[in-house]
Amino acid sequence: MPTQSTSKQLWRDVQVFDGLVQLSEAMTVLVEDGRIAGLWPAREFNEAHAEGAACAGRGGVMTPGLVDCHTHLVYAGNRAGEFEQRLEGVSYEEIARAGGGILSSVRATRAASEDELIAASLPRLDALLADGVTTVEIKSGYGLTVADELKMLRVARRLGQLRPVRVITTLLGAHALPPEYAGRADDYVSLVCDEMIPAAAAEGLADAVDVFCEGIGFSPAQCERIYQAAKAHGLAIKAHAEQLSNLGGSALAARYGALSADHIEYLDEAGVRAMAEAGTVAVLLPGAFHVLRETQLPPIELLRQYGVPMAVASDANPGTSPICMPTLMANLACTLFRLTPREALSGMTAQAARALGRLDLGRIEVGAPADLCLWDIQQPAELAYAVQAGRLRQRVFKGEVVYAR
């Protein structure tokens, strides 16, 4: 992997998308000691501004490093057989109720060692990095025992040590009801609240806690118990909500100050209003919508009307979005959900960072961490317009050029 290391680097004549908007003219960007130290219109740049800086690049489009704010990257096995089943007419819910779906991944993941999970997950992570990701959220949720959930979280942390990427971890113990707790969902929720969350917090393995609030997942009352436990241990809150039905999960999450509610295809206006009042980000997952061939669109116009920030993520997972190409998600967010290219790209940078509670990331502004991508394109909209690998010229992480082509 090519790397370039110097404390002071300069990019000249780049078109900049700063995480919210495209800047109107070619810019010069200075990075020093891992942070963005200067940002000038190229015509106003004075060489004295950056004395001693090495020129790291010229031309192209610069964006913040992409932030993939919702993934299930750590797992064993695959679910290609279920993909075939769905194409033959079996629904996602029918597969789940027959012991497939998430539970098939649980069986494979429980049987795998940490090293085996590392080996299985690294190629997926590498695919994200090759498409410009510098920060990735990784959820657990395929263990569903205290030991196996912690195992997944340890693997996620290790991935961040093995590659130049920032890993944010989320405990998703309430992803599905494990078979040994069949008919005893409340008892399993007690395990999550009384043992799993305290253990993950004590070992510093989780940054947030997530739930699957759905008819085939957990009820709002059960999710609320988990939110209370997460709050008690100082962990942020996220939610899978309104993916298959409207149980009011997004509004519930918003009442607890959730960073985000994700999927939200069945979200109603009351839920949108609650998210707007709480500052909760709507995370759109067009990959799952596409793979499951869903038809219920998320309420994009309502989200715009109420000013709810919209993030876009890959939802990379073995069953419903086995896709590790975030720029494809930008295209799908536009073509399926009718986001504008600017909204889609902001959703993969500034708004995705907001969905992780990291307002310092996903922006190109003086003082921000220098997580950057330089692309061989003419304008930022091309990242959403075309589905094309190989456009990344440089990936910069914490001020270091960790990939260069």
Side-chain angles (χ1 to χ4, degrees):
M1 180 184 299
T3 62
Q4 179 176 331
S5 177
T6 184
S7 63
K8 205 170 185 180
Q9 300 182 80
L10 201 65
W11 281 263
R12 299 176 181 269
D13 300 319
V14 291
Q15 299 296 321
V16 170
F17 179 86
D18 73 358
L20 295 175
V21 297
Q22 179 178 357
L23 303 187
S24 60
E25 55 186 306
M27 305 294 291
T28 299
V29 180
L30 175 67
V31 168
E32 186 171 6
D33 297 329
R35 294 191 172 270
I36 298 170
L39 182 66
W40 303 270
R43 59 183 174 78
E44 296 179 8
F45 177 68
N46 187 314
E47 296 296 333
H49 290 150
E51 185 177 354
C55 183
R58 185 184 294 272
V61 169
M62 178 173 282
T63 70
L66 302 188
V67 178
D68 197 344
C69 65
H70 182 132
T71 84
H72 304 256
L73 210 63
V74 174
Y75 60 86
N78 71 73
R79 282 151 57 186
E82 294 176 15
F83 179 70
E84 289 185 289
Q85 282 183 284
R86 289 198 302 271
L87 292 174
E88 291 167 356
V90 184
S91 75
Y92 177 67
E93 291 191 53
E94 289 171 329
I95 291 170
R97 294 192 187 280
I102 292 168
L103 292 182
S104 67
S105 294
V106 169
R107 289 189 291 273
T109 302
R110 284 180 174 181
S113 68
E114 286 191 25
D115 287 344
E116 287 169 335
L117 288 173
I118 288 284
S121 303
L122 272 175
R124 297 187 281 265
L125 178 59
D126 287 340
L128 296 182
L129 304 192
D131 208 38
V133 167
T134 54
T135 297
V136 59
E137 184 254 22
I138 301 177
K139 302 180 190 294
S140 64
Y142 296 126
L144 308 187
T145 68
V146 174
D148 288 305
E149 289 293 294
L150 297 184
K151 174 178 70 175
M152 292 186 68
L153 293 171
R154 279 194 295 270
V155 168
R157 292 285 200 222
R158 284 178 60 190
L159 289 172
Q161 297 165 1
L162 293 170
R163 293 291 187 269
V165 64
R166 183 179 291 99
V167 172
I168 309 294
T169 56
T170 298
L171 172 64
L172 181 56
H175 197 193
L177 187 65
E180 61 269 24
Y181 278 86
R184 298 189 297 126
D186 285 337
D187 289 342
Y188 179 67
V189 170
S190 293
L191 176 75
V192 173
C193 294
D194 298 340
E195 298 184 41
M196 198 177 286
I197 289 174
E203 293 190 34
L205 291 175
D207 301 305
V209 171
D210 200 345
V211 299
F212 186 27
C213 187
E214 191 54 75
I216 61 171
F218 296 88
S219 71
Q222 291 164 340
C223 293
E224 187 165 17
R225 289 176 58 196
I226 294 168
Y227 291 157
Q228 290 168 348
K231 284 285 190 182
H233 287 85
L235 298 175
I237 287 169
K238 301 174 74 68
H240 286 61
E242 276 72 68
Q243 181 184 9
L244 305 172
S245 62
N246 183 7
L247 298 184
S250 299
L252 171 66
R255 287 200 297 275
Y256 278 85
L259 292 175
S260 72
D262 304 25
H263 286 291
I264 55 98
E265 282 90 337
Y266 286 82
L267 182 65
D268 60 13
E269 187 167 2
V272 173
R273 186 183 304 113
M275 291 174 65
E277 291 172 355
T280 299
V281 177
V283 177
L284 306 176
L285 303 173
F289 185 94
H290 164 69
V291 171
L292 292 175
R293 302 171 67 203
E294 295 288 354
T295 57
Q296 175 74 31
L297 291 165
I300 301 300
E301 285 303 325
L302 277 175
L303 294 168
R304 287 174 176 148
Q305 177 184 329
Y306 281 88
V308 175
M310 292 183 287
V312 177
S314 72
D315 193 17
N317 76 74
T320 61
S321 188
I323 304 170
C324 297
M325 189 177 187
T327 56
L328 171 59
M329 298 304 156
N331 175 272
L332 293 178
C334 294
T335 56
L336 298 179
F337 296 164
R338 298 298 188 264
L339 266 63
T340 66
R342 182 193 62 78
E343 287 174 324
L345 192 51
S346 181
M348 299 178 68
T349 52
Q351 308 300 9
R354 180 181 294 272
L356 297 177
R358 293 296 304 264
L359 300 183
D360 57 324
L361 302 177
R363 296 296 310 276
I364 297 179
E365 57 185 9
V366 174
D371 293 357
L372 304 166
C373 288
L374 188 65
W375 306 87
D376 282 323
I377 55 178
Q378 300 300 310
Q379 55 184 317
E382 290 180 52
L383 290 175
Y385 153 74
V387 180
Q388 180 180 338
R391 294 174 291 180
L392 183 64
R393 188 193 307 174
Q394 291 177 336
R395 190 172 72 91
V396 181
F397 179 61
K398 296 183 178 180
E400 302 291 340
V401 179
V402 294
Y403 168 81
R405 177 175 53 77

